[in-house]
Amino acid sequence: MSTSRAGLRRSAPRDAGSLPVTRRERWTVGAVTAAFVAVVAFWALFTPVFDAPDETLHVNSAARLAEGGGWPDPGEARFQAMVADARGEAAWPAAERATFAELRAEDPGDVGLDQMTQHPPTYYLYVSVFLRAVDFVDLRVDVALLIARLSGLLFAAPLPLLVWDSVRRVTRSRRAGIVGAASLLAVPQLAHILGSVSNDVMMIAFGSAVVWLTVRLMTGDARRRVVVGLGVALALALLTKSTALPLVPFAGLALLLWPSALPLARRIRRTALAAVIALAGGWWWVRNLVVHGTLQPAGIVYEPTPWADGTGPDPLFFAEQLWQRVSSSFWGKFGWLDYPIPTFLSDILTVVCLAVVIGFAIRRGPLRWQTVVLAALPVVTFAAMLTQTWPSYVRTQLPAGMQGRYFFVIIVPLIVLSAVAWRRLVAPAYRRRAGVAIVLASAAMAVVGYTTEFALAYGGDARRTLDLLPGSDAANIAAVVLTALVGLTAVVAAVLFVGRGSSVPVLAHDADHREAHV
């Protein structure tokens, strides 16, 4: 090795983007994380039986694996009658519900197809471990379902930490990191999905890990463990759901570009290393191409519906449906998309967030290319949605597949871009007050989610709600109180931290952030 190259390697920082964590910051992000986990856990309890998107099908696939039923080819898996019958008992008082074994004894057959085998089995194998461990067939249905839902807390818990670290590294602001983590509460649909049985739970975690590690590369973390971790996270994401596919070119481009202090040849070798590791998950999609002739075969094929003479696809109608469905189901449209938060609220939030990000996230400066690459993810995700939904609409006349939850896998870059944009929009003198306002608004949105579910799913009847929830009245009331206390503690901690700031100065590295100080 030449002297010049050795000198370059010695001078290149191993993690140029590191920012020391203060004790108060550590406690604050811990409180926010605990609150987010509590909110997700309460959604797992509060959501009526099988009243989350496709939850019956997800449980059916996990139950089949728990009983050694295997993973049939797409279009061949059957939907067990006992799961369909269990959903039929959702309106019954919890104490009167049957066990899966009792339902199977009464109705042992199946009632149709389970399209979930179009996905890799990873998430379902994970849930099946819990179902098998508790001998789920002999448990009351709602209790077994609650255990399956709570198994997802393992994947929900890291999310605030990933957002916090990503935001603080990009913005060089401790306050912004805490606000970013707290802003997860502003999307009650995210907590609703994370508290349900859905492969989105695992996909959100692994997708967020991919973006977090990529952000570390972008901000100067040159350690090999980041490259290896990125390859592992990408492999796991690819073994979970097809929504991981846009992450492949995103991660590859980031590996080639960053850390920029490293020689290009070394960045190419690091990219190759991550790619080899990611192949541990990518093989599933190669197999689909070889066996089925497509990346993701359809679990259920809907018959085409011909358009009447003189009619045809209406782009304006399609665009209207796309806006309404994606916007409302991103912020909060609970159940099987039956219980939306007020439409004006989801519309305002979407318009404001889009306007701020589009107007201020990408500007000339040291962070320009990082934000460009991060912004490419939601653009590609939206384009992928269009390539699926428009042809389906043309063929079937149904505006299907338009769901905001498909953007949750990239919730980290959405929040990072928002943080960058808001910091550029708001003058330094007003940032603390703006941060406090965002924390309080996020907590208020979490409450809006619960009150919407209470009013629309339970009819606003407290007695009926307690009767339908698993567990005793005392246990359910205790869960409400505990969630409220943990949430209130986190809000107070975040408001105090953001409002007062930190005494440790930022290691400012560009003029865009010199005024941050925290």
Side-chain angles (χ1 to χ4, degrees):
M1 180 183 296
S2 66
T3 304
S4 59
R5 178 170 294 184
L8 176 61
R9 292 195 175 187
R10 283 195 298 269
S11 61
R14 301 305 296 166
D15 185 5
S18 62
L19 185 65
V21 181
T22 66
R23 178 177 298 179
R24 190 155 67 92
E25 184 183 17
R26 187 177 294 110
W27 280 103
T28 304
V29 74
V32 172
T33 300
F36 184 71
V37 171
V39 166
V40 172
F42 190 75
W43 270 109
L45 172 70
F46 192 47
T47 302
V49 172
F50 291 122
D51 201 27
D54 299 327
E55 194 168 37
T56 49
L57 299 171
H58 292 298
V59 169
N60 184 75
S61 285
R64 183 178 59 253
L65 288 174
E67 296 185 297
W71 201 249
D73 286 336
E76 296 183 7
R78 307 301 297 175
F79 182 53
Q80 300 177 78
M82 70 172 185
V83 180
D85 294 340
R87 192 186 182 199
E89 293 186 354
W92 295 15
E96 298 177 13
R97 293 177 186 140
T99 66
F100 277 115
E102 291 168 342
L103 291 171
R104 175 179 282 162
E106 294 176 4
D107 194 356
D110 57 67
V111 291
L113 293 176
D114 175 359
Q115 71 260 38
M116 291 304 150
T117 54
Q118 67 180 316
H119 303 296
T122 310
Y123 170 74
Y124 305 94
L125 285 167
Y126 170 79
V127 176
S128 72
V129 171
F130 289 84
L131 294 179
R132 191 183 303 114
V134 298
D135 197 11
F136 79 100
V137 292
D138 293 324
L139 290 178
R140 207 174 66 204
V141 166
D142 54 336
V143 176
L145 178 61
L146 179 60
I147 292 170
R149 287 174 173 176
L150 291 176
S151 71
L153 292 181
L154 176 68
F155 301 105
L159 199 54
L161 299 174
L162 301 182
V163 171
W164 162 73
D165 189 59
S166 298
V167 170
R168 75 197 296 272
R169 289 181 70 91
V170 171
T171 64
R172 307 295 292 170
S173 168
R174 294 182 174 86
R175 285 202 315 270
I178 295 299
V179 173
S183 69
L184 287 168
L185 297 172
V187 190
Q189 185 75 13
L190 173 64
H192 174 56
I193 295 298
L194 289 171
S196 69
V197 180
S198 169
N199 57 8
D200 287 323
V201 174
M202 183 178 280
M203 187 62 240
I204 291 167
F206 292 148
S208 296
V210 169
V211 176
W212 167 63
L213 290 165
T214 303
V215 167
R216 294 191 72 90
L217 287 173
M218 291 177 170
T219 52
D221 194 338
R223 293 173 296 178
R224 181 181 292 270
R225 70 181 69 173
V226 175
V227 177
V228 173
L230 181 55
V232 171
L234 194 55
L236 292 171
L238 289 168
L239 280 174
T240 304
K241 198 171 183 178
S242 63
T243 47
L245 293 173
L247 295 172
V248 175
F250 166 76
L253 180 61
L255 282 160
L256 287 172
L257 293 177
W258 292 288
S260 56
L262 298 179
L264 176 60
R266 188 174 175 189
R267 279 180 267 149
I268 292 174
R269 291 196 298 270
R270 286 155 60 94
T271 303
L273 172 62
V276 169
I277 298 172
L279 283 175
W283 68 267
W284 175 270
W285 307 101
V286 176
R287 169 192 172 275
N288 279 351
L289 285 173
V290 173
V291 175
H292 303 293
T294 182
L295 274 176
Q296 182 170 11
I300 294 180
V301 178
Y302 294 97
E303 293 297 323
T305 303
W307 295 85
D309 292 341
T311 66
D314 184 348
L316 292 179
F317 169 79
F318 178 85
E320 179 186 9
Q321 291 296 307
L322 185 67
W323 171 269
Q324 292 178 355
R325 292 173 182 239
V326 173
S327 175
S328 62
S329 63
F330 178 87
W331 297 103
K333 197 171 188 180
F334 313 117
W336 289 59
L337 306 181
D338 297 318
Y339 313 125
I341 65 173
T343 301
F344 77 87
L345 182 57
S346 58
D347 284 346
I348 289 174
L349 289 169
T350 304
V351 169
V352 170
C353 289
L354 285 176
V356 171
V357 169
I358 292 172
F360 296 92
I362 301 175
R363 291 290 185 90
R364 187 180 301 276
L367 289 175
R368 183 179 185 180
W369 291 112
Q370 285 91 332
T371 52
V372 166
V373 173
L374 287 171
L377 261 182
V379 172
V380 171
T381 301
F382 182 69
M385 178 182 291
L386 288 179
T387 61
Q388 295 292 320
T389 55
W390 174 256
S392 175
Y393 166 64
V394 171
R395 190 172 61 87
T396 67
Q397 301 188 30
L398 297 174
M402 303 174 178
Q403 295 194 40
R405 64 187 170 98
Y406 297 145
F407 289 88
F408 292 160
V409 66
I410 55 168
I411 193 69
V412 173
L414 292 179
I415 294 177
V416 170
L417 290 168
S418 296
V420 171
W422 280 105
R423 284 179 60 76
R424 288 174 173 165
L425 174 63
V426 179
Y430 299 99
R431 284 180 183 167
R432 295 190 183 192
R433 277 175 280 184
V436 168
I438 292 173
V439 170
L440 294 176
S442 298
M445 280 296 295
V447 175
V448 168
Y450 286 140
T451 55
T452 299
E453 180 81 344
F454 176 64
L456 300 182
Y458 293 99
D461 188 333
R463 180 65 266 167
R464 178 170 178 266
T465 303
L466 290 172
D467 288 341
L468 293 177
L469 296 181
S472 65
D473 288 357
N476 292 328
I477 293 172
V480 174
V481 173
L482 180 61
T483 302
L485 287 176
V486 174
L488 182 60
T489 300
V491 170
V492 171
V495 166
L496 290 177
F497 184 90
V498 173
R500 295 178 181 177
S502 170
S503 60
V504 179
V506 71
L507 306 179
H509 58 276
D510 63 76
D512 195 30
H513 302 303
R514 286 186 200 280
E515 76 282 0
H517 299 302
V518 292

